[in-house]
Amino acid sequence: MAPPSSSKAEFPWWLAAAAVLALAAALFIAASDLYAQVFATVAKGIGITVFVTVVAFAMASIIGLGVALMGLSGLPWLRQVARFYVEIIRGVPILVLLFWIAFAGAPAFVAAWNALTAPLQGAGYLGELLVRDVSLLWRAIMALTIGYSAFISEVFRAGIQAVEKGQIEAAKALGLSRAQRFRLVVFPQAIRTILPPLGNDFVALVKDSSLVSVLGVADITQMGKIYAAGSFRFFETYSIVAYIYLILTVGLSLALRALERRLRRQHEE
């Protein structure tokens, strides 16, 4: 028997099946008053979920890149500080880190801020900062930022180390500074290696953003919890919650894969 053609073998039947199911679910939600009401309520949290994910991922990427560069530094003490940060943060579950930042870290930060700014507060230039002034939304964002920065730093470190040393030596021979070598030679080549695992972390953060609901932040999961607790429609509510998260995560995964293919084609050309 002749082997199947590559075009048929690579056709994403799973995606076609998922699209049909998603369309059928959307039509069912639109036709059902109950499911439409649940969807309208839960969908109010989409904006918060997207905001938390985008802000936390952006800040985690910046911190992660800084930690990765520290880990690749020629100074031993910087490398040790970076390794300490990565190992300690990765060893703490995200949910535990969320609680610690929200209920221990935030009060400690407020106390330190007030101690440092006491002269300015005494002179009337600044008011006293209270714990309640630090919103639970931003406590949650900071917890996700710190937690994911440790994982993202390892992604950056591996991608940078994957760049051929000959490329770096050639850049040195051209007289480029360390910053110029990183900006013009190392990072553009490393991004092709970094992008797939970085995209996976972004999708994972979309899902882990649901943890902010334990602090009462009005994301998708929290809106679902509130509706289910008041209506006792647990099956309908959490089916809608799962449906929305699937749409977000699968859509992001497809977009990231398309971007990877585009970068690969550009590199081959």
Side-chain angles (χ1 to χ4, degrees), residues 230-248:
S231 65
F232 296 100
R233 295 284 188 174
F234 295 100
F235 177 82
E236 294 87 348
T237 301
Y238 288 111
S239 295
I240 293 295
V241 169
Y243 175 75
I244 293 176
Y245 275 114
L246 280 171
I247 294 297
L248 291 175

Side-chain angles (χ1 to χ4, degrees), residues 66-98:
V67 173
L69 294 177
M70 288 173 60
L72 297 172
S73 171
L75 301 175
W77 69 271
L78 273 181
R79 294 197 301 270
Q80 293 299 320
V81 169
R83 180 50 50 188
F84 176 84
Y85 178 86
V86 170
E87 296 300 333
I88 294 299
I89 297 301
R90 288 199 307 176
V92 180
I94 296 293
L95 184 59
V96 175
L97 187 62
L98 193 70

Side-chain angles (χ1 to χ4, degrees), residues 45-57 94-99 101-103 135-146 148 204-226 245:
I46 294 177
I48 293 295
T49 294
V50 172
F51 177 77
V52 168
T53 302
V54 171
V55 174
F57 186 79
I94 296 293
L95 184 59
V96 175
L97 187 62
L98 193 70
F99 282 131
I101 293 294
F103 302 117
S135 71
L136 290 173
L137 173 63
W138 281 102
R139 299 185 206 187
I141 289 174
M142 287 310 304
L144 291 174
T145 296
I146 293 171
Y148 267 80
L205 183 54
V206 173
K207 294 183 289 185
D208 279 347
S209 68
S210 63
L211 295 174
V212 305
S213 64
V214 300
L215 300 181
V217 177
D219 71 326
I220 295 170
T221 304
Q222 178 65 7
M223 298 305 295
K225 287 167 60 178
I226 293 172
Y245 275 114

